[in-house]
Amino acid sequence: MIYSKSYRILLFMFFVSSVICSMAQAQQGAPVPVKTYDNVSYGDHPNQVIDFWKADVEEPAPLVVYIHGGGFRAGSHEKVDGKVIQRYLDAGIHHASVEYRFIKHARLPAPHEDAVRALQFIRSKADEWGIDKNRIAAYGGSAGAQLVAYLAWGDDFADPDSDDPVERESSRLQAVAPLRGQS
């Protein structure tokens, strides 16, 4: 489906404002809903894991992905606000939180490569997890903002000729909210 540029901008602005409003209204330390899948590995490193919360829906649903900040040195996918997650779930939107390797584990661009791989891995689980592959958005702050911006405006890293089925998946996002990014 092709959307006009103004429609895409409006959609993007709506997504950003909804995330910001959700975050502003959320209380720090709110309980996190029970995860559907906890620390699912998408790579060989212990930091290459995803948490996933499935919305209570019958049909494939949209997904929002959270990537944490921390200057590529710290932070955790566990530090996602429970009220934010619950708001997405209540709206029929799945939620995922991604962990990645820090620069003490691997030099840059390892976190960027991990963000790509995590998104491709999530898409590879679309049928099993009930995700609509064509409606995936992401948000993150600081280093996470850079990573979601990289996914949104970088190349699509899908390799249709790869022997690895995960690498055949798109790394594109339909909407993005980089919060407190570097630029």
Side-chain angles (χ1 to χ4, degrees):
M1 184 177 281
I2 298 175
Y3 296 107
S4 70
K5 184 176 180 180
S6 60
Y7 180 80
R8 289 190 309 253
I9 290 169
L10 181 63
L11 180 65
F12 172 76
M13 290 171 51
F14 173 77
F15 178 76
V16 171
S17 65
S18 70
V19 169
I20 290 170
C21 288
S22 293
M23 293 177 87
Q25 293 173 357
Q27 297 175 359
Q28 290 296 338
V32 175
V34 176
K35 298 170 191 166
T36 308
Y37 299 109
D38 185 27
N39 288 324
V40 177
S41 177
Y42 66 88
D44 295 330
H45 192 274
N47 276 40
Q48 293 172 312
V49 293
I50 298 165
D51 290 343
F52 179 78
W53 292 263
K54 183 171 178 31
D56 186 16
V57 293
E58 298 296 322
E59 299 293 321
L63 167 73
V64 65
V65 177
Y66 169 71
I67 304 180
H68 70 83
F72 303 114
R73 289 182 165 81
S76 172
H77 73 296
E78 299 283 343
K79 302 294 183 192
V80 59
D81 193 302
K83 283 200 169 197
V84 173
I85 296 169
Q86 192 61 57
R87 286 187 64 152
Y88 283 114
L89 297 177
D90 291 345
I93 301 169
H94 306 307
H95 193 282
S97 182
V98 171
E99 188 64 75
Y100 52 88
R101 293 172 291 170
F102 301 140
I103 57 175
K104 68 182 179 185
H105 304 129
R107 293 178 184 247
L108 290 171
H112 299 77
E113 294 165 348
D114 288 356
V116 168
R117 178 73 181 187
L119 183 54
Q120 290 175 313
F121 176 84
I122 289 168
R123 271 204 169 91
S124 77
K125 295 291 188 182
D127 289 341
E128 181 182 339
W129 292 1
I131 299 168
D132 180 344
K133 287 185 183 187
N134 296 312
R135 295 190 297 163
I136 299 178
Y139 70 103
S142 189
Q146 186 182 106
L147 294 173
V148 300
Y150 178 74
L151 291 170
W153 293 294
D155 294 332
D156 187 346
F157 291 94
D159 179 359
D161 299 324
S162 176
D163 291 335
D164 180 354
V166 172
E167 289 181 0
R168 291 184 221 139
E169 297 290 345
S170 175
S171 61
R172 283 278 179 226
L173 294 170
Q174 279 59 52
V176 64
L179 307 167
R180 302 172 317 278
Q182 291 79 6
S183 60

